[in-house]
């Protein structure tokens, strides 16, 4: 009878091979991976960008879509017995408002050193994050959504995750910045006194500092600048993979230009329509095939079947 057949599996006496799992899946009308799901896997402390306009229902849909991919990613790493990567944490809670910007700069500098990034442009932010244990998922474009960060938990294992909107793929500099902004939410512990807007600015500062190291940028850009050409900004954008707007914000943060000069630039960008169509294009890649490569490796080593 059916009960006799299922009994040894249900009681844990026998473990079905992939062929048997396929037959059971057909009978129950589910996919094979239904039986391989991580128990107790859940997303914790989901952090959306402060200006996110997603409603509760849309947030739930976004999280469920990302959840499935993160679950599969952890599963394939577990099948291959890959070692866990521990994400650094920089606790900045004890610092006052005047000290905080410098400490954020130091944190970005420390991370570049810990991850052996040197002082050169980061060639692929997406791949860099995945190589250091952060799971990254691209989601379909939704109005009001740029990205979120979260820690996923399964048992005692805690995994950093980032979900990004595919609309960033239209301008990779925006995608790179958003990804590192979300990374900041994961690795910076900021003072609780900060408002949501202040925390967003702190994460912006970290993302800029990681993309454009202070010493290198200061040497390249120069101090006390008044006249800056569009061609100059485009050249920096194309080399470092950071938008012209973010370059000027970085120059303001490092006091290489005055607040008034930055304000004039913002007025100009609005007038020229740069917010939607900025000049110049970074031609690097933000593709990562790490997940796919792990799946094919597991298949080659015959620890999973093609089904």
């Amino acid at each position: 009878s059916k009960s006799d057949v299922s009994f040894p599996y249900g009681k844990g006496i026998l473990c079905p091979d992939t062929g048997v799992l396929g037959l059971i899946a057909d009978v129950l009308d589910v996919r094979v991976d239904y039986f391989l799901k991580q128990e107790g896997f859940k997303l914790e402390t989901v952090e959306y960008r402060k200006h996110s306009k997603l409603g509760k229902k849309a947030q739930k849909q976004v999280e469920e879509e990302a959840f499935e991919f993160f679950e599969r990613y952890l599963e394939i790493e577990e099948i291959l017995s890959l070692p866990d990567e521990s994400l650094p944490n920089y606790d900045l809670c004890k610092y006052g408002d005047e000290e905080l910007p410098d400490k954020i700069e130091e944190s970005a500098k420390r991370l570049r050193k810990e991850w052996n990034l040197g002082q050169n442009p980061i060639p692929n932010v997406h791949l860099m994050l995945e190589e250091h244990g952060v799971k990254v998922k691209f989601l379909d474009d939704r109005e009001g959504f740029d990205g979120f960060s979260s820690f996923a938990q399964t048992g005692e294992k805690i995994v950093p995750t980032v979900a990004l909107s595919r609309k960033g793929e239209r301008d990779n500099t925006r995608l790179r910045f958003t990804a590192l902004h979300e990374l900041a939410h994961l690795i910076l512990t900021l003072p609780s006194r900060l408002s949501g807007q202040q925390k967003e600015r702190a994460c912006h500062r970290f993302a800029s500092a990681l993309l454009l190291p202070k010493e290198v940028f200061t040497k390249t850009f120069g101090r006390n600048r008044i006249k800056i050409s569009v061609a100059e900004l485009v050249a920096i954008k194309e080399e470092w993979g950071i938008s012209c707007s973010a370059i000027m914000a970085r120059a303001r943060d490092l006091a290489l230009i005055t607040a008034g000069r930055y304000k004039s630039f913002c007025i100009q960008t609005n007038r020229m329509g740069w917010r939607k169509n900025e000049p110049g294009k970074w031609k690097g890649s933000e593709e990562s095939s790490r997940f796919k490569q792990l799946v094919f490796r597991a298949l080659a080593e015959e620890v999973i079947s093609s089904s």
Side-chain angles (χ1 to χ4, degrees):
S1 68
K2 289 185 178 180
S3 60
D4 291 331
V5 173
S6 63
F7 178 78
Y9 298 133
K11 293 295 185 180
I13 298 171
L14 293 177
C15 182
D17 60 23
T18 53
V20 173
L21 273 182
L23 293 173
I24 297 174
D26 286 341
V27 170
L28 298 178
D29 194 25
V30 296
R31 296 192 313 202
V32 173
D33 60 2
Y34 172 84
F35 301 103
L36 305 174
K37 288 182 179 292
Q38 301 273 348
E39 289 189 10
F41 181 83
K42 55 185 176 180
L43 292 179
E44 300 280 4
T45 60
V46 178
E47 289 272 358
Y48 285 88
R49 291 286 293 273
K50 187 64 181 175
H51 64 269
S52 174
K53 298 177 182 177
L54 286 180
K56 294 294 183 183
K57 183 177 180 180
Q59 285 185 10
K60 185 174 178 59
Q61 291 174 339
V62 162
E63 290 167 23
E64 287 179 350
E65 186 179 342
F67 179 94
E68 182 179 5
F69 176 73
F70 296 146
E71 192 177 38
R72 288 167 175 267
Y73 213 137
L74 288 179
E75 182 185 328
I76 198 66
E77 288 189 335
E78 188 173 279
I79 287 171
L80 291 169
S81 300
L82 299 183
D84 296 333
E85 285 277 349
S86 59
L87 195 67
N89 178 262
Y90 306 124
D91 190 346
L92 308 182
C93 289
K94 65 181 180 181
Y95 299 108
D97 291 350
E98 292 184 1
E99 299 173 283
L100 199 56
D102 286 339
K103 295 304 176 183
I104 292 172
E105 293 283 339
E106 289 178 18
S107 298
K109 187 175 182 179
R110 282 177 59 190
L111 186 65
R112 270 192 169 258
K113 185 175 181 180
E114 289 180 40
W115 284 3
N116 298 313
L117 301 178
Q119 294 292 297
N120 296 319
I122 300 171
N124 187 325
V125 168
H126 182 179
L127 182 58
M128 176 195 74
L129 292 176
E130 293 199 330
E131 287 178 339
H132 291 90
V134 182
K135 310 302 178 238
V136 180
K137 172 64 176 174
F138 288 99
L139 300 173
D140 292 337
D141 186 6
R142 288 176 174 83
E143 185 66 32
F145 173 69
D146 286 317
F148 76 70
S149 56
S150 175
F151 284 100
Q153 186 166 3
T154 173
E156 297 182 357
K157 187 175 182 180
I158 298 177
V159 182
T161 66
V162 168
L164 302 170
S165 170
R166 285 198 177 278
K167 67 184 174 185
E169 292 178 320
R170 295 196 291 267
D171 183 355
N172 276 344
T173 59
R174 178 177 180 175
L175 184 150
R176 286 158 62 84
F177 191 92
T178 300
L180 295 181
H181 175 102
E182 299 304 338
L183 174 67
H185 278 296
L186 295 171
I187 70 175
L188 297 182
T189 303
L190 296 166
S192 58
R193 70 175 184 277
L194 298 185
S195 67
Q197 190 176 40
Q198 288 173 318
K199 289 180 179 179
E200 289 295 291
R201 284 201 294 265
C203 291
H204 274 7
R205 181 71 179 254
F206 178 86
S208 297
L210 197 58
L211 281 171
L212 269 178
K214 180 179 179 179
E215 293 80 4
V216 177
F217 179 60
T218 301
K219 184 178 179 180
T220 301
F221 191 82
R223 298 179 182 275
N224 302 318
R225 296 293 306 277
I226 298 175
K227 295 183 178 180
I228 301 106
S229 70
V230 173
E232 179 184 357
L233 294 177
V234 168
I236 296 173
K237 174 180 180 175
E238 291 178 347
E239 180 179 3
W240 290 87
I242 182 172
S243 71
C244 296
S245 295
I247 293 167
M248 289 295 282
R250 182 86 174 119
R252 176 206 56 193
D253 289 343
L254 297 176
L256 305 181
I257 60 174
T258 65
R261 180 66 187 86
Y262 177 71
K263 184 177 180 180
S264 297
F265 170 79
C266 292
I267 293 171
Q268 179 188 4
T269 58
N270 285 334
R271 187 172 65 247
M272 301 295 288
W274 285 8
R275 288 187 178 276
K276 292 185 177 180
N277 189 23
E278 193 182 79
K281 186 175 183 180
W282 187 73
K283 298 177 182 177
S285 171
E286 282 301 323
E287 294 294 326
S288 172
S289 300
R290 184 176 182 271
F291 174 74
K292 187 183 294 185
Q293 179 263 321
L294 293 179
V295 172
F296 284 126
R297 173 182 162 184
L299 185 61
E301 295 180 1
E302 298 183 345
V303 293
I304 62 172
S305 71
S306 57
S307 63

